[in-house]
Amino acid sequence: MDAKLEIISFKLNPYKKNEQNFSFLDLFTKKIESSEIRNIYQNLVNVLDNPSDSSYHTVGKKAFTLIGEKSGYSSNDKYIYGLLKGGALGNGKTKGNVRDKNEEEDLDGNVINDKYFFIIYFPLEDDKGYVLFQSYKDEGIRKVFIDTIMKEIFSLEGEYKKPKIEIFYPKIIKDEFKQNALVKEIKFTDRQLSSKLSDESSFQSIANEFKVEVKITPVGGGVATRLYRRFIESLGIQKIGDNQLQNFDKTSIIVQNEITKKVTHFELGNEFEDIKPRIYLNGRINFDNNELPEYDSLKEYCLGLLNEIKTEDEENLRNIRRNDS
């Protein structure tokens, strides 16, 4: 099912920007009159799995709920984890019996369930946290779940707006990608005036400008990322009209991870730091007979990755202090 992991960083968004004491500690002290993780976890349970209501939490055409026995928290490490079940509503769809094509059941009012693992990390003295969210090839409930917890858990009327979020790519994942990736295709795209391509009036009469694309594909192999910059520079001596290839407006590449065999398409800036690799879980964790992530293996991997993120943040903070001193 192409299980993958996405990491979302989020930052508290106070109404009064000039106040310097905003933090998760401040938010929860005001919101639930407690900064204990067990009480913050209970706040999440009340939103996703209300003990007084057995229905799913529904947002638009998606619905989900918390599986209590697979969820919990760590007071020491300041994170909440859990397993969700949910997906799109089955309205307008039917369920058929594989052994009898004439047997059919209306799915209106039902939820087409998948299971999704998550960790929410929020150091109380800080204003920045992370969500690690495991999903599949399609988006599933990712967007509505993130939106729900940002609204219901990490905002407070009159004090904190919904946090700002962005996709986060840990350095350890980027480094692994660069080490194991091969460039399988490079495409240069540029717009050039027809007069720069040819002085033939008949050619210039076709169009005032042309979109020029040059695609380069290593046959039977790929270019290692450590050789990529040298490779581009050697191609850059080639000139189309007035521009060298390396000066074209846009460079897009296709890269394959030699370990996972997954292919990634992206536009490239000046360096490979611009790469934003997806974290596919195949080869990183164990899967069951239905090709679904095994819970314990997935949780262990996510906690290990969270520790790497903490280490990266601490290193970045040390560098900032070093530069400021």
Side-chain angles (χ1 to χ4, degrees), residues 118-285:
F118 69 89
I119 292 177
I120 310 171
Y121 170 64
F122 47 98
L124 290 175
E125 303 298 335
D126 205 342
D127 65 339
K128 180 183 178 182
Y130 296 92
V131 179
L132 284 70
F133 189 82
Q134 174 267 316
S135 60
Y136 305 97
K137 189 174 183 179
D138 60 354
E139 183 176 87
I141 63 169
R142 168 208 169 274
K143 186 176 185 300
V144 293
F145 170 72
I146 298 296
D147 193 56
T148 295
I149 62 172
M150 292 303 145
K151 283 181 181 177
E152 302 291 342
I153 308 299
F154 295 105
S155 62
L156 176 64
E157 185 176 357
E159 295 284 345
Y160 291 93
K161 304 175 188 177
K162 190 169 75 169
K164 298 176 180 179
I165 67 171
E166 61 180 13
I167 306 301
F168 179 77
Y169 302 90
K171 182 178 182 298
I172 189 173
I173 296 296
K174 288 183 178 182
D175 289 346
E176 176 197 277
F177 183 86
K178 286 185 285 186
Q179 182 178 350
N180 298 305
L182 288 179
V183 179
K184 308 295 281 190
E185 179 185 293
I186 310 166
K187 185 168 71 174
F188 302 90
T189 306
D190 196 30
R191 287 186 177 275
Q192 298 199 24
L193 293 172
S194 57
S195 59
K196 301 294 184 181
L197 296 173
S198 172
D199 57 6
E200 291 285 339
S201 58
S202 59
F203 176 79
Q204 295 177 26
S205 66
I206 298 172
N208 181 51
E209 67 175 9
F210 286 82
K211 179 182 177 182
V212 179
E213 290 187 348
V214 178
K215 184 168 73 172
I216 299 170
T217 306
V219 177
V223 179
T225 57
R226 60 186 173 79
L227 301 175
Y228 175 79
R229 184 53 51 197
R230 193 188 316 164
F231 182 66
I232 291 296
E233 289 171 353
S234 68
L235 290 175
I237 63 174
Q238 304 298 322
K239 198 170 184 180
I240 306 293
D242 267 7
N243 270 347
Q244 293 179 334
L245 287 179
Q246 64 180 7
N247 295 327
F248 271 33
D249 287 341
K250 175 181 171 184
T251 303
S252 58
I253 67 176
I254 296 176
V255 174
Q256 182 180 53
N257 187 313
E258 282 296 281
I259 293 179
T260 65
K261 301 303 180 184
K262 294 296 183 181
V263 172
T264 303
H265 299 244
F266 59 90
E267 291 184 31
L268 188 65
N270 293 327
E271 300 294 340
F272 262 86
E273 288 306 310
D274 297 319
I275 284 181
K276 298 176 179 179
R278 299 181 183 93
I279 307 175
Y280 289 103
L281 294 171
N282 186 30
R284 301 180 187 275
I285 66 169

Side-chain angles (χ1 to χ4, degrees), residues 79-92:
Y79 68 79
I80 289 171
Y81 65 91
L83 194 64
L84 303 163
K85 66 176 180 180
L89 299 178
N91 298 348

